[in-house]
Amino acid sequence: MKKIIAAIVFVLGSGYAQAADHVIKAVGVKFDPMFLVVEPGDTVTWTNMPAHLVETIDEMVPEGQEKILSKMGETVSTTFTVEGVVTYKCTPHWGARMGGMILVGEPDDLAGTLDAYMETSKTVGALKPAKGLIKKFKKMLVAEGKL
């Protein structure tokens, strides 16, 4: 039900929800901020990307979330409308664990989603760098009272 209400508010543009713009900046081989909490309808822009790109990790995005795959050096923006957890990486620097996570809205079974992502990171070799991201993200969500 809350997903339907969020979608209606987003479509109607009522005073109940105001879409926000967020910026994630590439700094060295890290994204700043590494973790972000947004509402459906918010836009995220990745900047300072001369040696970087943004790619969502297919196994770690909510169903219905459009894939992000920017070109190297490109500033990219995405408006998130699907509630859930989106995990992304800079593919050339994934070995250095350059990635991040975005919580969109208030998805059902957030803890279960993060547990499933952790299991995937343990079983799919190319996703092992995500283990540390997931642990830190969970810690942040607990500290903020969202988990």
Side-chain angles (χ1 to χ4, degrees):
M1 181 66 159
K2 64 183 167 185
K3 289 181 182 180
I4 294 170
I5 292 170
I8 291 169
V9 168
F10 174 69
V11 170
L12 295 178
S14 72
Y16 293 107
Q18 189 80 326
D21 294 320
H22 306 270
V23 175
I24 297 174
K25 185 176 182 180
V27 179
V29 289
K30 300 285 182 206
F31 288 110
D32 183 27
M34 189 180 304
F35 307 121
L36 198 56
V37 177
V38 304
E39 293 301 322
D42 286 2
T43 299
V44 176
T45 301
W46 286 265
T47 66
N48 194 38
M49 302 291 288
H52 305 291
L53 59 81
V54 176
E55 179 179 8
T56 47
I57 298 174
D58 293 339
E59 298 89 343
M60 297 183 181
V61 296
E63 187 175 327
Q65 169 61 47
E66 188 174 321
K67 180 169 183 65
I68 302 167
L69 178 54
S70 69
K71 293 179 182 173
M72 182 76 79
E74 178 180 82
T75 294
V76 63
S77 296
T78 298
T79 299
F80 292 92
T81 57
V82 178
E83 288 191 322
V85 178
V86 176
T87 308
Y88 63 92
K89 63 183 177 176
C90 172
T91 307
H93 298 112
W94 186 227
R97 295 174 174 43
M98 185 174 186
M101 299 180 81
I102 300 171
L103 172 62
V104 182
E106 297 178 13
D108 296 330
D109 195 18
L110 177 56
T113 297
L114 293 174
D115 289 344
Y117 285 7
M118 182 61 79
E119 284 305 309
T120 299
S121 74
K122 291 176 182 177
T123 58
V124 178
L127 300 181
K128 289 193 185 212
K131 286 173 34 180
L133 276 177
I134 297 164
K135 286 179 186 178
K136 290 175 185 175
F137 190 57
K138 284 176 81 171
K139 186 175 181 178
M140 182 205 81
L141 293 174
V142 167
E144 291 186 2
K146 297 187 181 305
L147 188 63

